[in-house]
Amino acid sequence: MASIPRVPIGSSTLPLLGFGTAVFPFAASETMKESILHAIKLGYRHIDAASVYNSEQPLGEAITEALGLGLIKSREELFVTSKLWCSDAHPHLVLPALSKTLKNLGLEYLDLYLVHFPVSLKPGSYVVPFDKTELLPMDFKSVWEAMEVCHSLGLAKSIGVSNFSCKKLQDLLATAKIPPAVNQVEMSPLWQQKKLREFCKGKNIHVTAYSPLGGRGTVWGTNEVLGSKILLEIAQAKGKTVAQVQLHLSFFILRFSCIP
Ligand SMILES: NC(=O)c1ccc[n+]([C@@H]2O[C@H](COP(=O)([O-])OP(=O)(O)OC[C@H]3O[C@@H](n4cnc5c(N)ncnc54)[C@H](OP(=O)(O)O)[C@@H]3O)[C@@H](O)[C@H]2O)c1
């Protein structure tokens, strides 16, 4: 794989193409570690995990193995993202959640720590899919203050959010001392997020696309993207697969980072 371009995010640089680690139902497996190791072999340097994916431990093992095999010379070559799950999105639980994430990964710091969703769940609730009665409105001010503490302690080089709308970003920015570096959202040619991208550009918030191939339909996103007739016509004309055209569109035309 050719070297992946990077953009500056705070004091580090974010590789524009990332490797996702969510496999539904969320469970760790040997296959997960092997696929992450394979991705590193291919040249991926940005890996996207989350506590709710149960992918942090296999990712940590893959990093140790990649170092042992000499695929990377040091941990600094990687850009590791993980996410605060909704049941830990309470001010007193943020730092303990990040400490657990770092322990799972066997790392001293994350490159990026994201608030996974702009909503909280009752503390202690880790079952997915969750019951709607567990949902609570998030106290953006206090949760974000706790994220800022994670950053100031050096445990997260950058902090950001995921699945935040313009309105929710505005609410968060109203009290934030450190603005979010990233907003990771679903984005594809069928869901282009034009208004949100414009808003984020104005606030210097980097947008990362997840599910650029459309997602899994019944679990998240839509599976209509890979079935798009227009994309199929382009793919046939160019002698590429629909997925290749799709990633090209998400990565180069939308000019944001993406996590396939
Ligand atoms: N922040 C968030 O809330 C959030 C939400 C969702 C995802 N994410 C992140 O984004 C990552 C990617 O998510 P994703 O939705 O794109 O899931 P994905 O499981 O990587 O792919 C989604 C769909 O694309 C298909 N696909 C993958 N590669 C393909 C290829 N080369 N050719 C044809 N079809 C292909 C898959 O088919 P198969 O089933 O055949 O593999 C699957 O149906 C996740 O692992 C996670 O890290 C973040």
Side-chain angles (χ1 to χ4, degrees), residues 16 34 60 75 78 83 85-86 109-110 122 171 182 184 212 214 220 226 233:
L16 287 175
E34 287 306 322
R75 179 262 178 266
L78 296 176
K83 310 187 192 87
W85 184 236
C86 308
Y109 69 91
L110 286 180
K122 284 182 190 164
D171 291 349
V182 167
Q184 184 185 119
W220 67 78
L226 287 170
E233 277 172 29

Side-chain angles (χ1 to χ4, degrees), residues 38-58:
H38 190 63
I40 296 173
K41 260 185 211 157
L42 287 174
Y44 282 97
R45 293 294 177 265
H46 171 182
I47 319 279
D48 183 76
S51 61
V52 77
Y53 302 162
N54 286 309
S55 61
E56 293 168 338
Q57 215 165 322

Side-chain angles (χ1 to χ4, degrees), residues 54-227:
N54 286 309
S55 61
E56 293 168 338
Q57 215 165 322
L59 171 55
E61 288 165 13
I63 293 172
T64 305
E65 216 163 306
L67 284 164
L69 292 168
L71 299 175
I72 46 170
K73 288 193 187 72
S74 74
R75 179 262 178 266
E76 280 66 41
E77 287 180 34
L78 296 176
F79 188 99
V80 179
T81 300
S82 197
K83 310 187 192 87
L84 174 79
W85 184 236
C86 308
S87 47
D88 290 322
H90 302 275
H92 64 295
L93 296 179
V94 175
L95 188 54
L98 176 55
S99 301
K100 187 163 177 237
T101 278
L102 291 172
K103 196 171 168 216
N104 288 341
L105 286 160
L107 297 179
E108 286 176 2
Y109 69 91
L110 286 180
D111 295 276
L112 179 62
Y113 196 38
L114 301 175
V115 175
H116 205 148
F117 284 97
V119 71
S120 298
L121 282 169
K122 284 182 190 164
S125 155
Y126 292 97
V127 180
V128 179
F130 49 81
D131 194 308
K132 281 182 186 160
T133 57
E134 309 259 291
L135 286 168
L136 297 167
M138 184 184 289
D139 179 347
F140 290 135
K141 183 174 182 290
S142 59
V143 169
W144 192 252
E145 272 170 5
M147 292 290 285
E148 289 172 333
V149 169
C150 295
H151 173 71
S152 63
L153 291 172
L155 301 176
K157 280 197 176 179
S158 293
I159 49 175
V161 296
S162 179
N163 300 301
F164 270 56
S165 63
C166 299
K167 168 78 175 68
K168 295 212 162 28
L169 280 172
Q170 223 149 12
D171 291 349
L172 188 143
L173 287 166
T175 58
K177 289 180 199 73
I178 305 171
V182 167
N183 186 18
Q184 184 185 119
V185 294
E186 182 184 343
M187 195 162 75
S188 72
L190 293 192
W191 187 245
Q192 296 183 16
Q193 301 274 22
K194 284 183 185 158
K195 188 177 147 208
L196 183 68
R197 283 191 286 126
E198 209 48 51
F199 180 87
C200 288
K201 196 174 169 188
K203 303 287 180 195
N204 202 23
I205 299 171
H206 179 81
V207 177
T208 296
Y210 71 70
S211 302
L213 298 175
R216 302 203 154 246
T218 50
V219 186
W220 67 78
T222 167
N223 48 21
E224 283 172 31
V225 183
L226 287 170

